[in-house]
Amino acid sequence: MTFAGMNYWAVLMGAVAAWMLGALWYSLLSKPWMAAAGVSKAQIEENTGSVRAFLPFVVAFLAALVMAWVLAGIMGHLGRLSIKNGVIAGAFCWFGFTMPTMVVNYTFGRRRPLLMLIDSAYWLAALLVMGAVIGGLGIR
C-alpha cells in the first residue's frame, strides 16, 4: 500500500472522510449556502438525474483525493506523524493556501461574505479531518 513512503490507504480514507464531511456540511447548511450563492432550489432540482447533477460530486471527490495526497506528501516531509501533527499541518495548509486563495477569488467575484464563511470553514474542517486521518494511519 505504500510507494516512496506514501500510505495510499491513508490518503484514500482522508479523502473519503473529507468528502463525506462535505455531504453532511452542505446538507446542514444548504439553505444559507443557496441564499449566499444566489442559487434557488428550483435551479438545483432542474438538473436532478442528469450528468450535470452528478459531476460536481465526482469532481469534489477527485479534488479531495488530490488534496489528501498532497497533504500526506507535506506531512511525510515534516517528520513525526500523529493525529495532532496532521491537524496542525491541515490547519497551516488551509491558512496559508486555501483561505488566501478563497479571499482573493471571492473578493474579485463579489461573492457574499456568508458564502465565503460557509465554504472556507468547510475546507478548514476538511483539511483538519484529512490531516487527522493521515496522521493517525501514518504515511510510512
Side-chain angles (χ1 to χ4, degrees):
M1 287 306 262
T2 61
F3 176 73
M6 182 77 65
N7 182 345
Y8 289 108
W9 182 251
V11 169
L12 179 63
M13 291 299 97
V16 167
W19 191 67
M20 291 174 64
L21 174 67
L24 177 64
W25 188 272
Y26 287 102
S27 291
L28 294 173
L29 297 172
S30 63
K31 287 182 183 177
W33 183 87
M34 285 190 299
V39 176
S40 70
K41 191 170 183 170
Q43 288 174 303
I44 291 174
E45 289 174 351
E46 76 184 27
N47 292 320
T48 302
S50 72
V51 174
R52 288 185 64 169
F54 185 68
L55 187 60
F57 295 98
V58 173
V59 170
F61 179 72
L62 293 174
L65 194 58
V66 169
M67 289 177 77
W69 180 70
V70 171
L71 182 58
I74 291 169
M75 290 169 62
H77 286 290
L78 293 176
R80 189 168 162 249
L81 295 179
S82 67
I83 293 172
K84 177 184 173 186
N85 289 347
V87 168
I88 292 169
F92 268 92
C93 286
W94 175 83
F95 187 73
F97 301 109
T98 306
M99 188 59 186
T101 303
M102 291 184 74
V103 168
V104 169
N105 289 347
Y106 281 54
T107 301
F108 274 103
R110 296 186 178 127
R111 306 303 296 260
R112 295 182 179 139
L114 179 60
L115 183 62
M116 186 170 60
L117 178 65
I118 292 169
D119 290 343
S120 66
Y122 163 68
W123 286 114
L124 173 60
L127 282 162
L128 296 178
V129 166
M130 283 183 209
V133 169
I134 294 165
L137 294 176
I139 292 178
R140 298 179 201 278

